[in-house]
Amino acid sequence: MTKELVLGFIFGISLSFISWLVAIILNSLLLKTSYYTRLHNFNFIKSKAINELIGLRYFKWIVRNSFFKLFNQKIKLENTKVDLSTIRYEMTLSEISHLIGFLFVTIFAIIKSLSVGPVFGLAIMIPNTLLNLYPSLLQQENKRRIDKLNDRARH
């Protein structure tokens, strides 16, 4: 069981990084459809309390204080003269790419749960959650914050 856990975790990390490339390609194709506009305001978890409960605040701290902060430089708010709509758009691209990646890896985890074992499949989901689901949830939270800023600017 320990071997399945370790191997599943390593496989999950590798597959999660691969899923980022797959997701970028699929997202660029999805971007050209009319369906994409419906995803623009999609909120997987709307509740701040649930985000707090699952530790999204800690994840945000990790992103801010690690090498992950270097990944998407287009979504930084460094000064007040930045175009919020452009940043929100980039956040949406990132959010949907991570959701696609999450689904991609989840399919593999289900298949591996059936072919190798449930421990292997669950171990795949740990890095998938941290490398795909949480970044997507963080982007959704950030988009809601930008929407509040936009609302204040309009009034």
Side-chain angles (χ1 to χ4, degrees):
M1 183 161 132
T2 304
K3 184 179 179 182
E4 280 187 23
L5 188 63
V6 171
L7 290 176
F9 187 79
I10 292 168
F11 185 76
I13 290 171
S14 302
L15 194 56
S16 292
F17 282 115
I18 291 168
S19 76
W20 292 352
L21 298 174
V22 171
I24 288 169
I25 293 167
L26 290 177
N27 196 18
S28 67
L29 295 174
L30 186 63
L31 187 62
K32 296 175 182 172
T33 68
S34 61
Y35 183 72
Y36 202 82
T37 55
R38 283 191 257 165
L39 295 173
H40 188 68
N41 291 314
F42 175 71
N43 276 306
F44 194 63
I45 297 178
K46 295 177 185 177
S47 168
K48 263 187 140 176
I50 292 175
N51 281 340
E52 187 70 26
L53 185 67
I54 64 172
L56 198 59
R57 175 174 38 128
Y58 302 110
F59 181 77
K60 183 191 290 188
W61 184 89
I62 291 168
V63 170
R64 276 191 191 152
N65 296 292
S66 71
F67 67 93
F68 287 111
K69 69 181 173 191
L70 304 173
F71 279 168
N72 196 345
Q73 296 294 309
K74 293 180 182 178
I75 57 175
K76 284 195 168 202
L77 283 173
E78 292 182 345
N79 60 48
T80 57
K81 296 183 185 209
V82 68
D83 181 16
L84 292 178
S85 62
T86 301
I87 289 179
R88 191 183 190 289
Y89 175 77
E90 292 296 332
M91 286 179 174
T92 302
L93 290 176
S94 176
E95 168 200 356
I96 293 171
S97 287
H98 279 293
L99 280 177
I100 292 169
F102 181 76
L103 293 173
F104 176 79
V105 176
T106 299
I107 291 167
F108 270 86
I110 291 168
I111 292 168
K112 290 297 185 180
S113 289
L114 299 173
S115 65
V116 177
V119 172
F120 192 84
L122 286 173
I124 292 171
M125 289 304 293
I126 295 168
N128 186 30
T129 300
L130 294 173
L131 295 171
N132 280 317
L133 182 60
Y134 272 50
S136 182
L137 294 174
L138 184 59
Q139 294 306 335
Q140 286 182 6
E141 184 179 277
N142 289 337
K143 283 186 347 185
R144 286 191 294 271
R145 289 172 51 215
I146 284 180
D147 290 344
K148 284 180 185 177
L149 288 172
N150 279 334
D151 287 345
R152 281 188 214 150
R154 283 188 213 127
H155 294 103

